[in-house]
Amino acid sequence: MAIHSQFVLDPSLNVPINPQLKCGEEWTAVNGTDDDDDDDDDHFRHPSPITFHVTLPAMRDDDRIVKLTFNTRDKSSGVLLPWEPRATSKPDDDDNDNVGDPYFFERGFYLEAKTGFQPWPGTRLMIEAFTCMKNERMDYWQMRLARNDLTILEVGAGVGIVGTCLAAVGGNVLVTDLSVLVEHGIMPNLRRNDRRRHHRARDGNDVAAPPEGGRLDDFFLDSRDRHRIEDGWAQAVVLDWFVPISEQIPRTTSSALDVIVACDCMWMRKLIDPLFSVISTLFRQSSNRPSFLFTYQRRNMTGVFIGMEELLERIERRGWIVECIAWRTIAVEGDGEQDLHLFEVMPAKSF
């Protein structure tokens, strides 16, 4: 198999971490209570769950501080800055020391599903790119978000951190992953960040009804609840890359798609071709010639992990155009310093 020529980092694309975006995490008591999650989220049944939070940079003129919270199954990896709060040690909880994974026997629970229950380095870079990165390529998408005129499909969303944040700044987002992650990760986290839910808790009134008519109504699925996340909307949808997309997402949705995003899920070699088949179908069905933005982290491992040159070669083999938008060096606990990249893939003009 031909291998893509050695990828060379462009120093001009190196982006420092933007301190306007703030993250943190803490252990949450297993049997604790949370005013936002007292009736329908199942995460307090999980052994020693983590609450991960993101405070977004202000993108509007109203100076609102938007803080979103997410339940995860494990501590984040390579996301937090040295001064940000982190769950450094596990709280004493003898009852949970030997508890197995509660979803181990559920359909669709594989290694890739297990890793989806925690935040990884690309989370921060992707959120920065759409909210506060000074980059000509991202300026256009940031403008579309400010106009509430951007439809986004996130693949391999894990617990939904990126998709929820993109909705909060004005996006209309389908947050997708395997069924076990949608049911136990994405949906509970969308509910806990739903602006209408918090508003009803205060005065019993809805903030806004879901959009009706036009392109956005075509984009969202009628069979799923939509969640009002600050300035935008989000919806959780099951998308298994090994199942034909026509059986999971209607053509009206893919036709209205502007952007596809993927964070930290381009690492296992066996998943690349199934994912690219999904991307190819979305490229073909969309009326908008969408872009596919993904993060890739170089790892000090081989074998089941795909290398960057092989990944880029597989992209170009499909006739797609791929460019690096930004990169930075990150420190990963236990694995040293590694380069993290943000790539944009576009279909050929004649696609």
Side-chain angles (χ1 to χ4, degrees):
M1 180 181 66
I3 299 296
H4 189 279
S5 59
Q6 184 69 30
F7 177 79
V8 178
L9 290 173
D10 181 347
S12 68
L13 299 178
N14 180 253
V15 292
I17 291 175
N18 194 319
Q20 296 181 66
L21 180 71
K22 298 177 175 63
C23 300
E25 65 186 8
E26 58 270 338
W27 291 101
T28 305
V30 175
N31 296 315
T33 60
D34 187 320
D35 291 340
D36 294 336
D37 300 274
D38 56 359
D39 56 357
D40 58 355
D41 292 350
D42 71 347
H43 57 256
F44 288 116
R45 298 200 302 268
H46 302 172
S48 299
I50 299 280
T51 297
F52 185 88
H53 51 84
V54 179
T55 302
L56 297 171
M59 294 184 66
R60 312 270 174 155
D61 297 330
D62 54 14
D63 294 327
R64 273 180 299 153
I65 297 177
V66 175
K67 182 177 181 179
L68 305 170
T69 60
F70 305 87
N71 185 254
T72 69
R73 292 291 318 285
D74 205 348
K75 296 182 293 184
S76 61
S77 174
V79 179
L80 301 178
L81 305 180
W83 55 85
E84 291 179 326
R86 64 182 64 220
T88 55
S89 60
K90 187 175 180 180
D92 294 333
D93 191 347
D94 295 337
D95 291 338
N96 290 317
D97 285 344
N98 299 309
V99 174
D101 198 295
Y103 308 135
F104 183 80
F105 295 104
E106 289 204 18
R107 181 181 180 184
F109 188 81
Y110 316 109
L111 171 60
E112 49 270 32
K114 181 178 177 62
T115 61
F117 279 103
Q118 70 184 109
W120 296 90
T123 297
R124 187 178 206 117
L125 182 59
M126 186 69 78
I127 297 172
E128 280 187 31
F130 277 94
T131 60
C132 56
M133 184 179 289
K134 305 302 180 184
N135 182 295
E136 291 184 5
R137 300 290 287 273
M138 297 309 302
D139 285 348
Y140 173 71
W141 302 121
Q142 292 173 15
M143 177 189 66
R144 293 280 299 273
L145 283 172
R147 298 198 315 237
N148 299 104
D149 182 37
L150 190 64
T151 55
I152 304 167
L153 188 147
E154 183 181 10
V155 295
V159 295
I161 296 173
V162 170
T164 306
C165 289
L166 298 190
V169 295
N172 301 282
V173 189
L174 285 189
V175 193
T176 75
D177 211 314
L178 296 168
S179 58
V180 65
L181 281 154
V182 168
E183 180 179 353
H184 300 293
I186 298 171
M187 289 180 65
N189 282 325
L190 287 181
R191 287 196 296 266
R192 75 183 298 171
N193 289 291
D194 193 317
R195 186 178 174 191
R196 294 179 300 168
R197 177 177 179 179
H198 297 298
H199 201 278
R200 284 195 301 269
R202 290 194 299 269
D203 58 21
N205 296 319
D206 276 346
V207 171
E212 294 185 2
R215 192 169 75 103
L216 295 184
D217 199 39
D218 291 338
F219 179 67
F220 288 112
L221 280 66
D222 292 336
S223 58
R224 290 277 185 172
D225 290 337
R226 307 177 205 178
H227 298 271
R228 179 65 162 173
I229 312 294
E230 295 299 327
D231 293 325
W233 294 88
Q235 187 177 65
V237 177
V238 174
L239 180 58
D240 187 326
W241 304 342
F242 289 87
V243 177
I245 197 170
S246 60
E247 299 178 14
Q248 304 175 86
I249 293 179
R251 183 68 177 263
T252 53
T253 294
S254 54
S255 178
L257 182 61
D258 294 319
V259 180
I260 310 158
V261 299
C263 288
D264 305 301
C265 54
M266 310 275 283
W267 56 279
M268 188 174 285
R269 182 176 280 107
K270 72 174 186 178
L271 298 179
I272 300 302
D273 284 340
L275 172 58
F276 283 177
S277 293
V278 170
I279 302 302
S280 180
T281 300
L282 294 173
F283 277 170
R284 189 169 57 252
Q285 293 183 352
S286 175
S287 303
N288 304 318
R289 196 170 180 262
S291 288
F292 171 41
L293 278 73
F294 71 89
T295 62
Y296 176 85
Q297 173 188 342
R298 278 195 185 270
R299 289 176 167 85
N300 300 322
M301 292 173 279
T302 56
V304 298
F305 294 90
I306 189 167
M308 177 180 289
E309 284 71 29
E310 181 183 349
L311 176 63
L312 296 179
E313 191 273 339
R314 290 198 190 190
I315 293 173
E316 293 183 344
R317 186 191 300 169
R318 289 179 174 264
W320 299 340
I321 303 165
V322 56
E323 292 186 37
C324 181
I325 296 178
W327 66 274
R328 68 168 51 126
T329 300
I330 59 170
V332 180
E333 184 178 354
D335 207 14
E337 290 191 344
Q338 300 175 7
D339 290 332
L340 176 66
H341 308 80
L342 176 63
F343 285 98
E344 180 178 18
V345 177
M346 295 169 286
K349 293 183 178 180
S350 59
F351 194 88

